[in-house]
Amino acid sequence: MVEKTLSLVKPDGVAGNHIGEILNLYEKEGLKIVALKMIKINKEFARQHYIDLKDKPFYQELVDFISSGPLVAMILEGEDAVNTVRRVNGATDPKEAAEGTIRNKYAKGKTDNTVHGSDSVEHAKREISMWFPEYLDSYLS
Ligand code: DAT
Ligand code: MG
C-alpha cells in the first residue's frame, strides 16, 4: 500500500553532516520526499512528539536531546513507506542495528540515534499533522 510516514534527521545527524546521505538512502529505496524542512523544536513540542514514552526513565533525556539543535523533518511517501523507513533506519540501539543501516553507520548511542521513523500508519498520520500542519489538507486526504 502506498503510505506516508514522518522521518526526522535528529540533531546529531545534522551536526554530523549526514543529511545528504540520509536523504539519498531514502530516495534509493524509491521513497519520495513530499515535504521537507529544517527546524529547531522547543521542549513542549518534543514532549508531545514522544508523549507515548512519557513514563520511560529516559523521557527527559530524549526531550532534551531532540530539542537541542536543528533537525530535518520530512514526509516520505511510497509503497510500505512506514516499514521501509524503519528498515533503512535500523534498530533503536545502534549496537543492534544491521550493517548498512543509518543507525549502524552514524548513531552514537540509544538517545543520539540519528533518525526517527513513525512506527505505524496511524502514528504517521498523527506525527505528520503535528510536524506539517500546513500540509494537512493536501497530504492526509
Ligand atoms: P524508535 O526510535 O526506534 O522507534 P522508540 O520509539 O522505542 O524507538 O524510542 C524512541 C526514542 O527514544 C529512540 O529513538 C531513542 C530513545 N530511546 C529508546 N529506548 C531508549 C533507551 N533504552 N535508552 C535511552 N533512549 C532510548
Ligand atoms: Mg518509535
Side-chain angles (χ1 to χ4, degrees):
M1 211 177 46
V2 174
E3 302 165 348
K4 293 180 184 68
T5 190
L6 182 92
S7 166
L8 305 175
V9 180
K10 294 182 181 182
D12 64 310
V14 173
N17 280 5
H18 303 311
I19 300 169
E21 176 71 10
I22 290 167
L23 298 185
N24 192 236
L25 287 168
Y26 292 148
E27 287 191 317
K28 280 198 292 199
E29 289 290 328
L31 296 165
K32 277 257 168 279
I33 300 167
V34 298
L36 181 76
K37 64 183 169 190
M38 180 180 279
I39 54 168
K40 184 172 181 289
I41 61 170
N42 63 31
K43 293 204 186 205
E44 183 49 35
F45 191 92
R47 281 192 284 272
Q48 287 309 313
H49 174 72
Y50 281 124
I51 194 70
D52 292 346
L53 301 173
K54 67 179 184 335
D55 297 327
K56 300 283 188 190
F58 55 81
Y59 182 61
Q60 188 61 48
E61 189 185 354
L62 183 58
V63 165
D64 289 346
F65 171 67
I66 199 78
S67 59
S68 66
L71 54 73
V72 172
M74 74 198 88
I75 305 173
L76 293 165
E77 182 180 74
E79 191 67 34
D80 200 27
V82 168
N83 287 322
T84 301
V85 166
R86 289 183 68 84
R87 175 170 49 77
V88 175
N89 285 358
T92 308
D93 182 345
K95 291 208 271 303
E96 290 163 18
E99 196 72 29
T101 61
I102 293 166
R103 285 166 168 168
N104 169 260
K105 287 178 165 178
Y106 305 127
K108 296 277 188 286
K110 276 194 262 187
T111 304
D112 45 347
N113 64 0
T114 316
V115 277
H116 165 81
S118 309
D119 65 9
S120 66
V121 170
E122 273 319 294
H123 283 163
K125 284 183 181 164
R126 180 170 76 89
E127 293 176 359
I128 288 169
S129 71
M130 271 184 71
W131 287 84
F132 289 93
E134 65 273 33
Y135 292 120
L136 199 55
D137 292 339
S138 50
Y139 284 85
L140 290 183
S141 55

